[in-house]
Amino acid sequence: MGKFNISRWRNSIFAKFTFSFILIGLIPLLVISYISLSTFSKYMERYTVNNFEQMILFASNNMTDMYNKYNNISKLMYSYGILGKYGQLGEAIAAQVDMKDGRLESTVDDFLRTVLYTDRYLENVFFVFPDGTFQRLTKDSKVFDYRYHYPDPAWEAQLKQNRQALAFFPTHPEQYHVGVNSQVMTFGRNLTNVLGTTALDGPVVGTLYMDVSLSAFDEVFQRIVLNANDIVYVVDAKGTVLYSNKRELIGKAYVPIASEEYLHIRQDAAENGWTIIGEVYKEEMFQRITQIMGMLLIVTVICAVSLMLVALWFSNRFSGPIRSITKQMSKVESGNFNSYVAVQSADEIGLLARGFNKMVERLQNYIDEVYVAQIKQKQAELNALKSQIRPHYLYNTLEVIRMSAVANDDHEVGEMILSLSHQLKYVLDSGVETVKLLEEKANIDQYFRLMEFRYGEHRLALDFRFDAEVLQYKVPKLSIQPIVENAIYHGIMPKSGKGTIRITAEKLADDKLCITIDDDGVGMSEEALERVRHKLTGSPVSESSGGIGIKNVHERIAALYGAPYGIEMNSSLHIGTSVRMMIPIVKEVSGDA
């Protein structure tokens, strides 16, 4: 049987159309998508690597510019005028030393101040005399630690070996200032006295040292977009890390990451022998590409799925009506004439469906006219007769009982039966969901008369406070009486003495009608009040738990007007209970008689 079904499915129009759409559309889409994604991925990888290489090259050029900048600042010693008499600082210092001029300290101090504020990244400047004494100037008024030998002997040795060039000392902490441990790099240059000669082979009259903040490096590398695992280095000719975005690596020997997960890019700076190295984590570097590829892959999958859905929809569009006609024909054959085929097109299949529907409709009409119509008519007449007999029989019976009581001078029983009759008529009248407040008030009057007959006027009192205008507004039928009943049985009856129920109706400013039923009965405790409120929120209640009538009224109001409307309760033990019914103001409700 299964083999037969599969064979029939393969030969169906649905299978043929579906296979054709997938063959023509899906395979070319997958081939084109594969070629496009592969090409795009390779191009984006090359572009990303080239872009990072350009950033490293840009940083290398900036490193060279930074080195040249501090080289030029150090050369100010050879073009710094003093009082308009000297063309070079070295000449001034040499002359003032020979003359034992007291202005020497002021001269050097003025020069240091000029140098310090030439560049914002200069933190400290020192001028060391040949005898080991020095003058210094800082931007933050740092206190020098005189226990520290300044300058470092290694610095002096390096400057003695190359007394004419700019010396660079790798990144180091400012240990020579009290309480300061920030890292700086230092540039140094000897100042020679070139008086009377054009060569720089005169005696050294002092040495300038300049501490530069690592912020100078930060400014260069802030334009390079780095991910969390990417590392950049500035390495000197000895392999010492001068700068890195990983601060803990500064001052250590450079050790490359031996992992294929990292891409290594190097760029040498010819001016100073520094090397800029970038170690890029490939996964993060190509993460954006992976995201784009993922999005493109998702789009491709969506397109493929959409194509398959369109193929299924288009095939079903052709074969569905035929299957529907076949299915409905089987129902007609079995005697079910309530068959109908939905007409979805105006082509030949649509014409076939219309013809089938007309045939079934004519057969159904014939059966209805000859057989079903007569049965339904008789049943309707019988139901109508029953619905008239039952209420009328009840009213007539109560009227006979009432007249009998009146004939026996039992007027109180007659009044009770009359009130009950009015109430039953009000309750049994069907076809309306809402009534005027005036009608609901009349029903409450009849109910309260019965309660007065039962318990006596000395126990109960009813006070209506309605304006004439509100009596014409619509309220849910039998919505106030259950609340009044609760007030009598649970509020006033347990109390000793007479109790009063006050019913107030007022129109609020926001087109709402507020009906308040107050009683001065025994009230409720906080726990009992919370239980009743909990029932109003929708929790199931048992028949013996009380509050079912109020819950029913609350649910009817919510069903008629929406969740914002309903019943609220407040009560105080030994004081009384107040129930507020909030409904919208309407004059007519659809479906009311």
Side-chain angles (χ1 to χ4, degrees), residues 59-100:
S60 176
N61 294 334
N62 285 342
M63 286 290 97
T64 300
D65 293 341
M66 182 185 73
Y67 184 88
N68 292 334
K69 176 178 68 175
Y70 293 113
N71 186 34
N72 292 332
I73 291 175
S74 68
K75 292 180 180 180
L76 286 176
M77 295 184 296
Y78 295 98
S79 60
Y80 185 74
I82 304 299
L83 300 177
K85 297 181 180 181
Y86 304 105
Q88 295 179 357
L89 179 65
E91 298 178 8
I93 293 176
Q96 291 179 356
V97 168
D98 293 340
M99 297 168 52
K100 297 182 179 180

Side-chain angles (χ1 to χ4, degrees), residues 487-503:
I488 292 174
Y489 284 111
H490 301 294
I492 294 178
M493 286 301 100
K495 160 185 175 179
S496 61
K498 188 174 184 178
T500 301
I501 298 175
R502 182 186 302 109
I503 305 177

Side-chain angles (χ1 to χ4, degrees), residues 105 176 213 436 457 475 509 530 538 565:
E105 182 178 348
Y176 36 83
S213 170
K436 292 181 179 179
E457 295 182 359
V475 298
E530 284 302 318
Y565 301 99

Side-chain angles (χ1 to χ4, degrees), residues 241-273:
V241 177
L242 305 179
Y243 173 82
S244 175
N245 60 319
K246 305 293 185 182
R247 299 286 184 169
E248 65 273 12
L249 300 178
I250 296 176
K252 299 180 180 179
Y254 167 68
V255 179
I257 298 178
S259 174
E260 295 183 356
E261 296 180 350
Y262 280 84
L263 177 67
H264 298 265
I265 300 175
R266 302 173 63 94
Q267 182 65 47
D268 296 328
E271 292 288 336
N272 47 34

Side-chain angles (χ1 to χ4, degrees), residues 508-548:
L508 302 183
D510 52 353
D511 288 333
K512 292 181 180 179
L513 178 62
C514 179
I515 301 174
T516 306
I517 300 93
D518 296 317
D519 69 75
D520 55 1
V522 296
M524 287 185 286
S525 64
E526 286 294 331
E527 294 78 7
L529 179 62
E530 284 302 318
R531 285 197 298 271
V532 175
R533 287 175 175 172
H534 190 60
K535 296 170 188 175
L536 292 179
T537 60
S539 303
V541 296
S542 62
E543 292 293 334
S544 61
S545 61
I548 299 178

Side-chain angles (χ1 to χ4, degrees), residues 1-12 15:
M1 187 66 179
K3 183 177 181 181
F4 172 77
N5 289 337
I6 294 175
S7 176
R8 185 174 64 179
W9 182 84
R10 289 178 178 175
N11 294 324
S12 65

